[in-house]
């Protein structure tokens, strides 16, 4: 029974972890902590675990800071992103301490707007989309406290590879006809930069069936901009201001889990987003920094080698923070500049995992 509980708990954390997505125009890539998948105390040397995670969100509410721009929805000028994507994962346990993983995202996102096409005054809404492989991530994990029935502590270090297309193009409806242009940054399959991920997962038992968990991930993206010009007709007199930025990202989660036979239910908090400034390198270019604070309930069911999980982070606070470019324009013009971003109310995540 204890082994089933630990597998259930760990898959729950993984189901949460494999999809840290900015739910809308705040373009958090498909990054999050997944190291818990590999450190079940019942996994033996040389064992494998495979997973598939489907996610969906519908972003449509605009925010400047934490102020919701409700008139955008009322007027119909809001931007709508519908994301249907799948992440495939594989984990290999080398021994009781070391494990390795790879995550391969497959992206399909549809985006509709007025301003990108004929303009907000036109009343005509058109769509663009993106699809294909995203940025693949590989990582190694070390169990500092492995095979401990009261607590577990794992750290991870990984590489995010620029395998996703960061210059995906689609046709936009313009006054002079259809024009092939790069799609918005929020739906680009990749960001164009090599990144380094650092992760930590901690779990502590409280009695025989209750546990608490804390997980965190930070993606260091040292590349400044990726060379893709956002909107060719914009010249702001600021170097790189119109190129897509390659941004740092972060995730922190904490909560409580409870075993109920083969089911495990969890409730926690989730804080994720895009950094205003990168830890390493410059932070020029166009980005929509911001963060989402969510409450995160989940349920999973474990049956022998199979685990099924569902979790639905529900946004409590959404904040589109002022970017470096916003700050520079404010300084140059003397007028406060603060861009907006669209967010979702919730995200649906469905995970299936199979252990060999």
């Amino acid at each position: 029974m204890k082994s089933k509980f630990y597998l259930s708990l760990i898959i729950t954390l993984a189901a949460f972890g494999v999809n840290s997505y900015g739910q809308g125009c705040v373009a958090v890539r498909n990054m999050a902590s997944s190291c818990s998948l590999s450190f079940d105390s019942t996994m033996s040397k040389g064992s494998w675990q495979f997973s598939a995670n489907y996610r969906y969100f519908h972003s449509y509410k605009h925010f400047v800071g934490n102020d919701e721009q409700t008139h955008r929805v009322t007027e119909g000028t809001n931007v709508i992103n519908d994301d249907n994507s799948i992440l495939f994962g594989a984990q290999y346990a080398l021994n009781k301490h070391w494990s390795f993983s790879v995550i391969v995202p497959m992206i399909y996102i549809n985006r509709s707007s007025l301003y990108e096409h004929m303009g907000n005054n036109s009343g005509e809404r058109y769509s663009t989309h993106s699809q294909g492989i995203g940025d693949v991530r590989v990582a190694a994990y070390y169990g500092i406290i492995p095979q401990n029935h009261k607590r577990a502590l794992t750290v991870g270090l990984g590489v995010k590879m620029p395998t996703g297309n960061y210059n995906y193009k689609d046709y936009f409806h313009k006054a002079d006809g259809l024009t092939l242009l790069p799609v918005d940054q929020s739906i680009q399959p990749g960001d164009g930069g090599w990144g380094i991920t650092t992760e930590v997962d901690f779990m502590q038992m409280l009695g025989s069936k209750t546990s608490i968990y804390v997980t965190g991930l930070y993606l260091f993206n040292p590349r400044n901009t990726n060379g893709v010009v956002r909107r060719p007709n914009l010249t702001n007199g600021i170097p790189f201001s119109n190129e897509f930025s390659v941004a740092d990202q972060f995730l922190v989660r904490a909560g409580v889990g409870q075993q109920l036979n083969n089911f495990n239910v969890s409730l926690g908090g989730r804080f994720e987003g895009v950094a205003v400034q990168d830890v390493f390198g410059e932070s020029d270019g166009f980005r929509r920094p911001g963060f989402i604070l969510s409450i995160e309930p989940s349920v999973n069911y474990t049956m022998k080698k199979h685990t099924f999980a569902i979790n639905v982070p529900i946004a409590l606070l959404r904040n589109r923070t002022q970017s470096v470019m916003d700050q520079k324009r404010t300084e140059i013009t003397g007028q406060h500049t603060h861009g907006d971003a669209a967010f979702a109310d919730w995200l649906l995540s469905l995970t299936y995992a199979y252990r060999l």
Side-chain angles (χ1 to χ4, degrees):
M1 184 61 69
K2 280 189 176 182
S3 64
K4 287 184 178 180
F5 167 68
Y6 276 93
L7 177 60
S8 181
L9 171 65
I10 288 168
I11 297 292
T12 299
L13 297 182
F16 287 155
V18 295
N19 61 91
S20 171
Y21 315 99
Q23 299 172 30
C25 291
V26 175
V28 181
R29 300 294 160 190
N30 305 313
M31 311 295 301
S33 177
S34 65
C35 55
S36 295
L37 271 169
S38 300
F39 287 94
D40 178 13
S41 61
T42 66
M43 287 187 70
S44 60
K45 177 181 178 180
S47 61
W48 286 86
Q49 190 162 257
F50 300 93
S51 61
N53 171 256
Y54 165 79
R55 61 85 183 269
Y56 168 78
F57 68 76
H58 172 81
S59 70
Y60 69 105
K61 291 183 177 179
H62 286 252
F63 287 79
V64 175
N66 60 10
D67 182 22
E68 183 180 351
Q69 308 294 290
T70 56
H71 65 278
R72 296 292 298 275
V73 175
T74 302
E75 296 169 355
T77 61
N78 59 319
V79 177
I80 300 173
N81 282 4
D82 286 296
D83 188 310
N84 288 273
S85 299
I86 299 177
L87 278 75
F88 296 99
Q91 297 77 35
Y92 174 73
L94 181 65
N95 53 46
K96 68 178 182 179
H97 285 285
W98 286 100
S99 185
F100 305 91
S101 74
V102 58
I103 296 176
V104 181
M106 299 300 296
I107 308 299
Y108 183 85
I109 311 176
N110 185 78
R111 175 183 175 89
S112 70
S113 67
L114 281 69
Y115 86 93
E116 294 174 302
H117 299 273
M118 303 294 288
N120 282 341
N121 294 328
S122 68
E124 297 290 335
R125 180 178 289 273
Y126 297 100
S127 295
T128 54
H129 86 289
S130 65
Q131 62 183 16
I133 190 171
D135 289 341
V136 174
R137 181 164 64 93
V138 295
Y141 302 99
Y142 182 76
I144 297 175
I145 310 177
Q147 298 184 1
N148 186 309
H149 290 291
K150 293 184 178 181
R151 65 182 61 86
L153 175 63
T154 300
V155 293
L157 181 67
V159 176
K160 186 266 298 178
M161 299 177 286
T163 53
N165 187 352
Y166 57 93
N167 191 19
Y168 194 99
K169 296 180 180 179
D170 201 357
Y171 286 97
F172 290 76
H173 293 76
K174 301 295 185 180
D176 54 355
L178 293 177
T179 303
L180 187 64
L181 295 169
V183 298
D184 186 77
Q185 185 183 47
S186 65
I187 69 171
Q188 290 285 347
D191 64 18
W194 287 86
I196 300 296
T197 59
T198 56
E199 305 175 54
V200 61
D201 281 83
F202 175 75
M203 183 274 297
Q204 172 70 55
M205 295 299 301
L206 303 176
S208 61
K209 296 184 178 181
T210 305
S211 64
I212 59 173
Y213 63 88
V214 178
T215 71
L217 176 143
Y218 196 93
L219 166 62
F220 299 92
N221 255 332
R223 186 175 183 180
N224 189 13
T225 61
N226 63 21
V228 177
V229 178
R230 175 180 173 240
R231 293 165 68 183
N233 61 328
L234 288 183
T235 55
N236 301 293
I238 305 174
F240 306 112
S241 64
N242 205 27
E243 292 184 12
F244 287 152
S245 183
V246 184
D248 284 7
Q249 300 161 32
F250 57 86
L251 167 74
V252 178
R253 301 175 47 255
V256 179
Q258 179 69 34
Q259 178 196 1
L260 301 170
N261 296 321
N262 286 352
F263 288 88
N264 185 274
V265 295
S266 297
L267 182 65
R270 176 179 179 127
F271 180 70
E272 61 190 301
V274 172
V276 174
Q277 291 184 292
D278 297 343
V279 174
F280 303 109
E282 300 298 324
S283 306
D284 297 321
F286 177 80
R287 71 172 71 180
R288 297 184 183 96
F291 59 84
I292 308 165
L293 178 63
S294 305
I295 187 171
E296 189 175 37
S298 77
V299 178
N300 71 48
Y301 175 76
T302 301
M303 180 178 62
K304 296 182 179 179
K305 296 182 178 181
H306 307 271
T307 296
F308 306 86
I310 177 173
N311 74 297
V312 185
I314 301 169
L316 302 177
L317 175 64
R318 289 155 284 189
N319 192 315
R320 200 292 204 183
T321 49
Q322 192 182 34
S323 69
V324 170
M325 289 300 105
D326 290 337
Q327 295 168 9
K328 288 184 177 180
R329 292 190 184 100
T330 298
E331 181 180 353
I332 291 171
T333 65
Q335 297 181 343
H336 182 76
T337 300
H338 194 148
D340 70 329
F343 293 82
D345 290 327
W346 49 267
L347 180 148
L348 171 66
S349 171
L350 302 173
T351 300
Y352 168 71
Y354 177 77
R355 189 178 56 157
L356 292 177

